Amino acid sequence: MLRTHTCGELRLNDTGKTVTLSGWVQRIRDKGGLIWIDLRDRYGITQLLLEEGRSPAELIADARKLGREFVIQARGKVIERVSKNPKMATGDIEIDLAEITVLNRSKTPPFTIENETDGGEELRMKYRYLDLRRNPLKESLLLRHKLSLETRKYLDNQEFVEIETPYLIKSTPEGARDFVVPSRMNPGEFYALPQSPQTFKQLLMVAGYDRYYQLVKCFRDEDLRADRQPEFTQIDCEMSFVEQEDILNTFEGLIRYLFKEIKGLELPAFPRLPFDEAMRLYGSDKPDIRFGMTFVELNDVAQGKGFKVFDDAELVVGINAPGCAGYSRKQLDKLTDFVKRPQVGAKGLVYVKYNEDGSFKSSVDKFFDAEALKSWAGKFEAKPGDLMLILSGDADAVRRQLNELRLEMGTRLGLRDPQNYKALWVVDFPLLEWNEDDQRYHAMHHPFTSPKPEDLDLLETDPGKVHANAYDLVINGVEIGGGSIRIHDRELQKRMFKALGFSEEAAQEQFGFLMNAFEYGAPPHGGIAFGFDRLAAMFAGKDSIRDFIAFPKNNNGRDVMIDSPSVISPEQLDELGLKVVKKREK
């Protein structure tokens, strides 16, 4: 070994020991008579000391030739520091240096390898191997590692078996776009990379492996944002002989266990909220319940008063912002500008101030008198000092817009603390949703989700009203996982495919292997998948998942470090039976 100890290991009780450390030069401070070198590895930093008149002159000369990020081996005696550093785990000691060996030199890094760096995101992604030396990224990856260990520990104790499923599978038309892989041995045919192991884990249930899990890499060719990557990891699970409550209880147990083991937090039982209630109260199927401001509908008290904006609307709905009646005109204009942004899409915002003296001031005083505004306040359960914010329009659109405004107000009022965790299950989703472009129904989750038994008779007559045996886990307004009880009967699966617009031939071609398996004793089964990268980011109180993936892609789906995706040679294309395409402009 090139070291006897790590750079985060030594303490006062090691004083007097002769030790050997290896690592990277974090920084050098040369004060003339004294030289300090901070040596770093992934365990921490240890300070090395040289002193003119006491340390060998040749050693001091060698030390002055070192640069940042040089890889060195250092040998010396552990001594007590005169000026201790309580911010460092090794801050009580330093190494009286006796020998330095340069193991490898380093060019000057393009940005500082510090907690707070001067490198922009694209530059740091290009030199990701350098960025990964910084403590914030190191801590993110170690958190991810611990999450994976504890996940496996919990599931193993629940008698789950980890089984790997294939990465080269068949492309399917539902869901996001597939990444496809040409087959050299089967010209003109393609594999797809899995968006999830869905059908394979169902086949494992047919095979009798009644508790399966996998920390599995999945792939989706979709537009990217902070919480999406083209390749991502799921905690993928399936169980046989279960109903919805069994799934919810088992995996609520997993999440509560992880919070206790990793963050020391005891989360209370997760409430259950039906999808319809989530949309009515929050305008979102992933509501942030860390704060109130639930929606209040005003059609019965706001319409029919001659205000055309309300009278022509399908829905008049608002939120009450406690203690915000003192907002200035400038602040209210900023809120109006916020809801009129293209990303939100509202045409305007109505406000009502419930002043501390009990009077009202609104942007619609011309149409509504104090008595009318008082009735609104009654609906909101508003108190003097509160601010009512109201939108109107098409019901689905205005709920979405008000959800954005509610989240914005929660942020402005400091109500969305990332270290305050509020989880819930959203249940009873619609089974299908109508797609105007295709003029057909699409599965809201996937085609293998079971309808609620009480809604089965509606599958052919009124499919839009069928509820799914499906559930999502939401924490702090982020969908962390989702799943469903699956269809395990061939005839019901055929009915589902028919409702989705599949011909019998198309269903057989795409999913015949699964329907055939259902004829050989498929047990009732269901499961769930959690976004592992999102879960890691959530535990760290972060929005972006990039820092929790060792080598992520940028917003264009590119790995700028290795310059991928890239063109391949004409010879490779010929072998695959593909045409040469012109390389894109960089």
Side-chain angles (χ1 to χ4, degrees), residues 158 160 201 205 209-212 237-243 246-248 250-251 485-486 523-528:
Q158 297 289 323
F160 282 79
K201 65 180 180 178
M205 297 302 103
Y209 295 88
D210 64 327
R211 293 194 168 204
Y212 142 95
C237 307
E238 200 79 4
M239 302 172 71
S240 292
F241 306 111
V242 291
E243 296 177 315
D246 302 307
I247 301 282
L248 301 192
T250 299
F251 293 102
I485 299 297
R486 322 300 188 189
H525 59 282
I528 195 167

Coordinates of all heavy atoms in Angstrom, one line a residue, residues 158 160 201 205 209-212 237-243 246-248 250-251 485-486 523-528:
Q158 N -37.5 -8.1 3.8 CA -38.9 -8.4 3.4 C -39.0 -9.5 2.4 O -40.1 -9.8 1.9 CB -39.5 -7.1 2.8 CG -39.6 -5.9 3.7 CD -40.6 -6.0 4.8 OE1 -41.7 -6.6 4.6 NE2 -40.3 -5.6 6.0
F160 N -37.6 -10.0 -0.5 CA -37.5 -9.7 -1.9 C -36.2 -10.3 -2.5 O -35.2 -10.4 -1.8 CB -37.6 -8.2 -2.2 CG -38.9 -7.6 -2.1 CD1 -39.5 -7.3 -0.8 CD2 -39.6 -7.3 -3.2 CE1 -40.7 -6.7 -0.7 CE2 -40.9 -6.7 -3.1 CZ -41.5 -6.4 -1.9
K201 N -40.9 -8.0 -15.2 CA -41.2 -8.3 -13.8 C -42.5 -8.9 -13.6 O -42.8 -9.7 -12.7 CB -41.1 -7.0 -13.0 CG -42.0 -5.9 -13.2 CD -41.7 -4.7 -12.3 CE -42.7 -3.6 -12.5 NZ -42.4 -2.5 -11.5
M205 N -43.5 -12.7 -12.0 CA -44.6 -13.1 -11.1 C -45.2 -14.4 -11.6 O -45.6 -15.3 -10.8 CB -45.6 -12.0 -11.0 CG -45.1 -10.7 -10.4 SD -44.4 -10.8 -8.7 CE -42.6 -10.8 -9.1
Y209 N -41.7 -16.0 -8.7 CA -40.8 -15.3 -7.8 C -41.6 -14.1 -7.3 O -41.6 -13.0 -7.8 CB -39.6 -14.8 -8.6 CG -38.8 -15.9 -9.1 CD1 -39.1 -16.5 -10.3 CD2 -37.7 -16.4 -8.3 CE1 -38.3 -17.6 -10.8 CE2 -37.0 -17.5 -8.8 CZ -37.3 -18.1 -10.0 OH -36.5 -19.2 -10.4
D210 N -42.3 -14.4 -6.2 CA -43.4 -13.5 -5.7 C -43.0 -12.2 -5.1 O -43.8 -11.3 -4.9 CB -44.3 -14.3 -4.7 CG -43.6 -14.6 -3.5 OD1 -42.4 -14.8 -3.5 OD2 -44.2 -14.6 -2.4
R211 N -41.7 -12.0 -4.9 CA -41.2 -10.7 -4.4 C -39.9 -10.4 -5.1 O -38.9 -10.9 -4.7 CB -41.0 -10.7 -2.9 CG -42.4 -10.8 -2.1 CD -42.2 -10.5 -0.7 NE -43.6 -10.3 -0.1 CZ -43.9 -9.6 1.0 NH1 -42.9 -9.0 1.6 NH2 -45.1 -9.6 1.4
Y212 N -40.0 -9.5 -6.1 CA -38.9 -9.2 -7.0 C -38.5 -7.7 -6.7 O -39.4 -6.9 -6.5 CB -39.2 -9.4 -8.4 CG -38.7 -8.3 -9.4 CD1 -37.5 -8.5 -10.1 CD2 -39.4 -7.2 -9.6 CE1 -37.0 -7.6 -10.9 CE2 -38.8 -6.2 -10.5 CZ -37.7 -6.4 -11.1 OH -37.2 -5.4 -12.0
C237 N -39.9 -2.8 -8.3 CA -40.4 -3.8 -7.4 C -41.7 -4.4 -7.9 O -42.5 -3.7 -8.5 CB -40.6 -3.3 -6.0 SG -39.2 -2.4 -5.3
E238 N -42.0 -5.7 -7.6 CA -43.2 -6.3 -7.9 C -43.5 -7.4 -6.8 O -42.6 -8.0 -6.3 CB -43.2 -7.0 -9.3 CG -44.5 -7.3 -9.9 CD -45.2 -6.0 -10.5 OE1 -44.6 -5.0 -10.6 OE2 -46.3 -6.2 -11.0
M239 N -44.8 -7.6 -6.5 CA -45.3 -8.6 -5.5 C -46.5 -9.3 -6.1 O -47.3 -8.8 -6.8 CB -45.7 -7.9 -4.2 CG -44.6 -7.0 -3.6 SD -45.2 -6.0 -2.2 CE -45.5 -7.3 -1.0
S240 N -46.6 -10.6 -5.7 CA -47.7 -11.4 -6.0 C -48.6 -11.6 -4.8 O -48.2 -11.5 -3.7 CB -47.3 -12.8 -6.5 OG -46.6 -12.7 -7.8
F241 N -49.9 -12.0 -5.1 CA -50.9 -12.3 -4.1 C -51.1 -11.1 -3.2 O -51.1 -11.2 -2.0 CB -50.6 -13.5 -3.3 CG -50.3 -14.7 -4.2 CD1 -49.1 -15.2 -4.4 CD2 -51.4 -15.3 -5.0 CE1 -48.8 -16.3 -5.2 CE2 -51.1 -16.4 -5.8 CZ -49.9 -16.9 -5.9
V242 N -51.2 -9.9 -3.8 CA -51.4 -8.7 -3.0 C -52.5 -7.8 -3.6 O -52.9 -7.9 -4.7 CB -50.1 -7.8 -3.0 CG1 -49.0 -8.5 -2.2 CG2 -49.7 -7.5 -4.4
E243 N -53.0 -6.9 -2.7 CA -53.9 -5.9 -3.1 C -53.2 -4.5 -2.9 O -52.1 -4.5 -2.4 CB -55.2 -5.9 -2.3 CG -56.0 -7.2 -2.5 CD -57.2 -7.3 -1.7 OE1 -57.2 -7.0 -0.5 OE2 -58.3 -7.7 -2.2
D246 N -51.6 -3.6 0.4 CA -50.3 -4.4 0.7 C -49.1 -3.6 0.1 O -48.1 -3.5 0.7 CB -50.4 -5.8 0.2 CG -51.6 -6.5 0.7 OD1 -51.7 -6.6 2.0 OD2 -52.4 -7.1 -0.1
I247 N -49.3 -3.2 -1.2 CA -48.2 -2.5 -1.8 C -47.9 -1.2 -1.1 O -46.7 -0.8 -0.8 CB -48.6 -2.1 -3.3 CG1 -48.9 -3.4 -4.1 CG2 -47.5 -1.3 -3.9 CD1 -47.7 -4.2 -4.5
L248 N -48.9 -0.4 -0.8 CA -48.7 0.9 -0.1 C -48.1 0.7 1.2 O -47.1 1.5 1.6 CB -50.1 1.7 0.0 CG -50.8 2.0 -1.2 CD1 -52.0 3.0 -0.9 CD2 -50.0 2.5 -2.3
T250 N -46.2 -1.8 2.3 CA -44.8 -2.3 2.2 C -43.8 -1.2 1.8 O -42.7 -1.0 2.4 CB -44.7 -3.4 1.1 OG1 -45.6 -4.5 1.6 CG2 -43.3 -4.0 1.0
F251 N -44.2 -0.4 0.8 CA -43.3 0.6 0.3 C -43.3 2.0 1.0 O -42.3 2.7 1.0 CB -43.4 0.7 -1.2 CG -43.0 -0.6 -1.9 CD1 -44.0 -1.5 -2.3 CD2 -41.7 -0.9 -2.0 CE1 -43.6 -2.7 -2.9 CE2 -41.3 -2.1 -2.5 CZ -42.2 -3.0 -3.0
I485 N -51.8 -2.1 -9.3 CA -52.1 -3.5 -9.4 C -52.3 -3.8 -10.9 O -52.9 -3.0 -11.7 CB -53.4 -3.8 -8.7 CG1 -53.3 -3.4 -7.2 CG2 -53.9 -5.2 -8.9 CD1 -52.2 -4.3 -6.5
R486 N -51.7 -4.9 -11.3 CA -51.7 -5.2 -12.8 C -52.8 -6.1 -13.2 O -53.5 -6.8 -12.4 CB -50.4 -6.0 -13.1 CG -49.1 -5.5 -12.4 CD -48.7 -4.1 -12.6 NE -47.4 -3.8 -12.0 CZ -46.9 -2.6 -11.9 NH1 -47.6 -1.5 -12.3 NH2 -45.7 -2.4 -11.3
P523 N -50.6 -15.1 -11.3 CA -51.2 -14.8 -10.0 C -51.6 -13.3 -10.0 O -51.1 -12.5 -10.8 CB -50.1 -15.0 -9.0 CG -48.8 -14.7 -9.8 CD -49.1 -15.2 -11.2
P524 N -52.5 -12.9 -9.1 CA -52.8 -11.4 -8.9 C -51.5 -10.8 -8.5 O -50.8 -11.4 -7.6 CB -53.8 -11.4 -7.8 CG -54.5 -12.8 -7.8 CD -53.4 -13.7 -8.3
H525 N -51.1 -9.7 -9.0 CA -49.8 -9.1 -8.7 C -49.9 -7.5 -8.9 O -50.8 -7.0 -9.6 CB -48.7 -9.7 -9.5 CG -48.8 -9.6 -11.0 ND1 -49.6 -10.4 -11.7 CD2 -48.2 -8.7 -11.9 CE1 -49.5 -10.1 -13.0 NE2 -48.7 -9.1 -13.1
G526 N -48.9 -6.9 -8.3 CA -48.8 -5.4 -8.5 C -47.5 -5.0 -8.0 O -46.7 -5.7 -7.5
G527 N -47.1 -3.7 -8.3 CA -45.8 -3.3 -8.0 C -45.7 -1.8 -8.0 O -46.7 -1.0 -8.1
I528 N -44.4 -1.3 -8.0 CA -44.1 0.1 -7.9 C -42.7 0.3 -8.4 O -41.9 -0.6 -8.3 CB -44.3 0.6 -6.5 CG1 -44.4 2.2 -6.5 CG2 -43.3 0.1 -5.5 CD1 -44.9 2.7 -5.1

